[in-house]
Amino acid sequence: MHVDNRAELLWVAFGLFGQLMFTGRFLVQWIASEKAKRSVVPVMFWYFSLAGGVILLSYAIYRKDPVFILGQSLGVFIYLRNLWLIRQSGEAA
């Protein structure tokens, strides 16, 4: 895990929390789809995506990993854009 001190341990814990948020979005989507008996993407999916993406992007920047940074940067933009579109359409009300 490349943990040499307490600060590194806290960053790893922060990154793991971000990954849990990011993974949690699929649970949210799955539960919503099961309830609706069809495939749906609830607004909460995008909030979980955004939270997990921002945390993972922060972690990637700390780790100075260009591949990870690039991958998360685009995702964060997409999650924000989807939330903006939902807000503009009034669906989130």
Side-chain angles (χ1 to χ4, degrees):
M1 285 197 310
H2 303 289
V3 176
D4 298 325
N5 55 50
R6 183 178 169 89
E8 290 291 322
L9 179 61
L10 291 174
W11 272 106
V12 169
F14 184 63
L16 288 172
F17 176 70
Q19 188 60 53
L20 285 173
M21 290 292 295
F22 204 65
T23 301
R25 69 194 185 136
F26 292 115
L27 293 173
V28 166
Q29 192 273 332
W30 177 41
I31 291 167
S33 292
E34 288 296 329
K35 284 183 179 178
K37 303 286 188 224
R38 61 184 178 84
S39 182
V40 297
V41 179
V43 174
M44 191 56 64
F45 174 89
W46 298 112
Y47 283 110
F48 268 74
S49 297
L50 181 60
V54 167
I55 291 170
L56 289 173
L57 177 60
S58 301
Y59 181 74
I61 291 169
Y62 173 76
R63 290 289 185 181
K64 299 176 183 156
D65 184 328
V67 173
F68 200 9
I69 292 168
L70 182 61
Q72 291 302 318
S73 297
L74 180 60
V76 168
F77 171 76
I78 292 168
Y79 311 141
L80 281 169
R81 181 64 178 149
N82 274 286
L83 285 168
W84 180 258
L85 292 170
I86 290 167
R87 181 182 174 137
Q88 292 298 311
S89 72
E91 291 178 46

